[in-house]
Amino acid sequence: MTISIIVAIAQNNAIGKNNQLLWHMPNDLKHFKEITSGRTIIMGRKTYESVGKPLPRRRNIVVTRQDMQIPGCEVVKSIDEGLALCAQDDEVFIGGGAEIYRQAMDKTDIIYLTIVHKEFEADTFFPEIDYQQWDELSREYNEPDEKNPLPYSFITLKRR
């Protein structure tokens, strides 16, 4: 099984503030949907709450220490418990937030990274990437347009 992180970060590794995204970039949301549709996505409870519902056409696994049930989702106590449920999957996605990314980083094979080329004030950050451990498979730079107000790049990294 390939374990993949999918994340959009600012130039300063910012990913959120007050449990909300820092920008609205429809092309990034489309990119996320294309990559993860038909797959399993593992996310933390706070990330799930910021989305507000199970992601359509995906198996949703929510990691939380709380004893709770979420309609349309499988609830687990740890990333490892979530990954164990996916033993038959060819690729599983880690979709945030910061603590879930931090716990998953050493287990991750591929990072689907969107970098928004601006720094943001935030309270939530993606862990530092040690680029010595990763090979860049692809990079696509995108200029702002009428729907996507900031320049951004889609980058795919594979662990060496």
Side-chain angles (χ1 to χ4, degrees), residues 14-61:
I15 59 173
K17 186 172 182 182
N18 299 323
N19 208 28
Q20 298 295 315
L21 295 175
L22 300 168
W23 49 76
H24 180 69
M25 302 282 286
N27 280 359
D28 182 53
L29 297 173
K30 180 181 173 199
H31 181 71
F32 177 91
K33 183 178 177 181
E34 287 172 356
I35 290 172
T36 62
S37 283
R39 307 288 186 143
T40 299
I41 188 153
I42 297 174
M43 69 187 99
R45 177 189 52 82
K46 290 179 188 172
T47 298
Y48 172 79
E49 289 173 350
S50 76
V51 174
K53 64 182 196 266
L55 295 169
R57 293 184 295 287
R58 278 155 277 206
R59 179 183 183 189
N60 290 256
I61 297 177

Side-chain angles (χ1 to χ4, degrees), residues 36-151:
T36 62
S37 283
R39 307 288 186 143
T40 299
I41 188 153
I42 297 174
M43 69 187 99
R45 177 189 52 82
K46 290 179 188 172
T47 298
Y48 172 79
E49 289 173 350
S50 76
V51 174
K53 64 182 196 266
L55 295 169
R57 293 184 295 287
R58 278 155 277 206
R59 179 183 183 189
N60 290 256
I61 297 177
V62 177
V63 179
T64 180
R65 289 184 290 272
Q66 297 181 12
D67 190 19
M68 61 191 305
Q69 294 184 344
I70 303 171
C73 298
E74 295 166 76
V75 179
V76 297
K77 300 282 187 201
S78 69
I79 289 176
D80 288 337
E81 187 181 338
L83 291 170
L85 293 176
C86 306
Q88 304 305 312
D89 292 19
D90 59 340
E91 186 173 22
V92 174
F93 290 90
I94 306 297
E99 180 60 21
I100 300 298
Y101 286 136
R102 189 188 64 71
Q103 291 177 27
M105 188 63 95
D106 289 342
K107 305 173 192 310
T108 298
D109 304 299
I110 295 175
I111 300 175
Y112 295 93
L113 179 66
T114 300
I115 297 179
V116 175
H117 298 289
K118 181 180 175 180
E119 292 194 3
F120 284 82
E121 184 180 314
D123 58 18
T124 310
F125 295 85
F126 190 74
E128 287 292 326
I129 298 171
D130 177 359
Y131 287 94
Q132 304 282 335
Q133 296 182 19
W134 301 89
D135 288 322
E136 188 173 302
L137 299 182
S138 65
R139 178 181 293 256
E140 176 191 330
Y141 177 81
N142 297 275
E143 291 285 351
D145 60 33
E146 62 282 349
K147 292 182 180 177
N148 300 277
L150 301 165

